[in-house]
Amino acid sequence: MDADPLVTAPVWQDKIADTSKIEVPAFVIGSYSNTLHTMGTFRAWRTLGSKDKWLRIHDRQEWPYYYDKNNTEELRRFFDHYLLGKDNGWENTASVRYTTIGFQGKNETDIPATSFPPAGVNNQPFYLNPLTRTLQEKPLSQAATVQYVANDNPGRVSFLTTFDAPVTMVGYPKAKLFMEVDGYDDMDIFIMVQKLDKYSNVLSEFVVPNHGAALQDFTQEGASALRYKGVWGRLRASMRHLDDKMSTDEIPAYSFDRVEKLAPKEIVQLDIVLSPMGMTFAPGESLRFVISSKNELGSVMPGTPGATPDNQGIHILHTGGKYDSYLQLPILKK
């Protein structure tokens, strides 16, 4: 990565899978919580060339889920139908089954749909208000800023909204931020979207069956894949250029073919792709949007180092007026 940081290098071109060439029937299983696999699994499912494809989104860590007896039998039904030609009704299986995470034992699983996101989702922007540190449905009329010192404490800024009615979010969130850096020429931005209970406690959830003390200690060392903490994303500002062919308003995608360092006082637009989500909120519960200079999520794999940010100076977030920084959330209308 240090020697060949751009995607144009042969070493990377050799490793980009063209999933549109996969035309066999596909049964894709994923989750929201796996920091290593989630984004790639959903991207592959979207771009498969298969006319017959299924997506099932679960709420657990993959190994306990895959080897559950009911799930191995369902996989057998898929293979029996397509490899042995058995007329077992597999084709009547819902093309998408998704999960919503409520935390604290309030998950709903295997919700049938014909697409992901399901029908009825509205991508709604929540604009950042640095004066009140809140998320709001209308943008500020006048420009305002908030800043933090990179890699210092706290080295981040957060925004909150509290719901007065039940809310379900299912689909692809994203962030659009207008930012500059004082004292350096680049920024690594780390995003987290967290759920807070009515007492303002940050919620997380184990995705493995064993919740013992040894596992508690293990998760403190960065094994974030064992605990679902919410939505995440990251972007290096100098790699912000969007891929015109792959990027959509809903899901930003980057070309990674150029480095565009920031000039002094330059304000740049960062469209940050976030991990897909299925999350519910009850009245009185809150959503917190965190923008950080630190990799607070931890390592994507136990026992491996997390990302080392390239951050110095002061990060300045611009909102209001022509700088309509916002968090876009997929709200499911019921």
Side-chain angles (χ1 to χ4, degrees):
M1 291 176 68
D2 290 338
D4 296 296
L6 299 181
V7 76
T8 50
V11 66
W12 301 125
Q13 287 293 311
D14 178 57
K15 293 169 179 61
I16 299 174
D18 183 358
T19 50
S20 68
K21 294 180 179 178
I22 299 175
E23 298 180 346
V24 296
F27 182 19
V28 179
I29 301 177
S31 70
Y32 308 119
S33 59
N34 193 302
T35 49
L36 182 62
H37 299 303
T38 290
M39 287 198 183
T41 301
F42 280 79
R43 184 186 307 117
W45 177 78
R46 292 195 305 270
T47 56
L48 281 171
S50 309
K51 64 180 180 67
D52 299 320
K53 62 180 182 179
W54 284 264
L55 174 66
R56 189 179 188 186
I57 306 166
H58 61 87
D59 63 345
R60 293 159 60 187
Q61 200 268 351
E62 63 261 34
W63 301 121
Y65 184 83
Y66 292 163
Y67 288 100
D68 179 276
K69 182 178 179 181
N70 291 333
N71 296 332
T72 57
E73 286 305 311
E74 181 178 63
L75 182 60
R76 189 192 310 277
R77 287 181 58 238
F78 171 77
F79 286 134
D80 281 353
H81 181 73
Y82 283 108
L83 299 182
L84 301 181
K86 289 188 177 182
D87 184 12
N88 57 13
W90 173 264
E91 66 276 11
N92 298 321
T93 304
S95 55
V96 171
R97 286 169 289 170
Y98 66 91
T99 289
T100 56
I101 309 293
F103 297 93
Q104 299 176 308
K106 299 178 182 177
N107 298 351
E108 186 176 353
T109 60
D110 285 332
I111 305 169
T114 57
S115 63
F116 187 88
V121 167
N122 177 47
N123 291 314
Q124 180 178 337
F126 287 79
Y127 296 92
L128 280 54
N129 185 334
L131 307 178
T132 60
R133 297 293 180 90
T134 56
L135 299 168
Q136 59 189 47
E137 295 187 8
K138 294 183 179 180
L140 290 174
S141 57
Q142 296 191 0
T145 63
V146 63
Q147 63 186 38
Y148 55 84
V149 179
N151 293 330
D152 203 349
N153 288 321
R156 66 178 188 174
V157 65
S158 62
F159 301 83
L160 193 75
T161 186
T162 301
F163 301 101
D164 56 11
V167 175
T168 299
M169 303 178 188
V170 186
Y172 298 103
K174 77 166 188 178
K176 185 172 80 168
L177 307 177
F178 289 89
M179 299 192 69
E180 69 169 302
V181 58
D182 181 10
Y184 197 48
D185 61 359
D186 212 343
M187 292 183 287
D188 274 339
I189 303 299
F190 297 88
I191 300 295
M192 288 194 299
V193 178
Q194 302 169 319
K195 179 177 175 179
L196 280 60
D197 68 14
K198 63 182 180 180
Y199 304 108
S200 297
N201 297 306
V202 178
L203 299 179
S204 63
E205 179 171 287
F206 274 110
V207 293
V208 294
N210 184 352
H211 302 173
L215 186 61
Q216 294 274 359
D217 292 340
F218 189 52
T219 59
Q220 298 302 317
E221 298 177 0
S224 57
L226 302 181
R227 183 189 283 273
Y228 181 54
K229 300 179 180 180
V231 173
W232 71 92
R234 59 175 291 196
L235 181 64
R236 178 163 290 179
S238 61
M239 306 290 274
R240 65 190 177 275
H241 186 265
L242 296 175
D243 184 325
D244 294 335
K245 295 181 180 179
M246 296 282 293
S247 191
T248 67
D249 178 68
E250 186 179 37
I251 308 173
Y254 313 103
S255 64
F256 292 128
D257 62 354
R258 67 199 70 186
V259 176
E260 298 175 315
K261 295 288 188 178
L262 280 67
K265 298 188 180 301
E266 180 183 10
I267 302 170
V268 295
Q269 177 178 322
L270 305 179
D271 295 277
I272 304 178
V273 61
L274 304 181
S275 59
M277 69 185 302
M279 197 177 295
T280 58
F281 294 82
E285 295 179 333
S286 302
L287 179 148
R288 182 164 68 181
F289 176 52
V290 181
I291 304 168
S292 180
S293 61
K294 304 173 183 178
N295 180 25
E296 300 188 38
L297 188 65
S299 169
V300 299
M301 282 287 287
T304 63
T308 302
D310 184 16
N311 281 326
Q312 298 180 39
I314 299 173
H315 293 180
I316 305 170
L317 171 69
H318 293 257
T319 71
K322 64 179 180 179
Y323 301 117
D324 58 339
S325 294
Y326 60 77
L327 169 66
Q328 184 169 286
L329 296 169
I331 308 297
L332 178 61
K333 302 296 183 181
K334 292 188 175 181

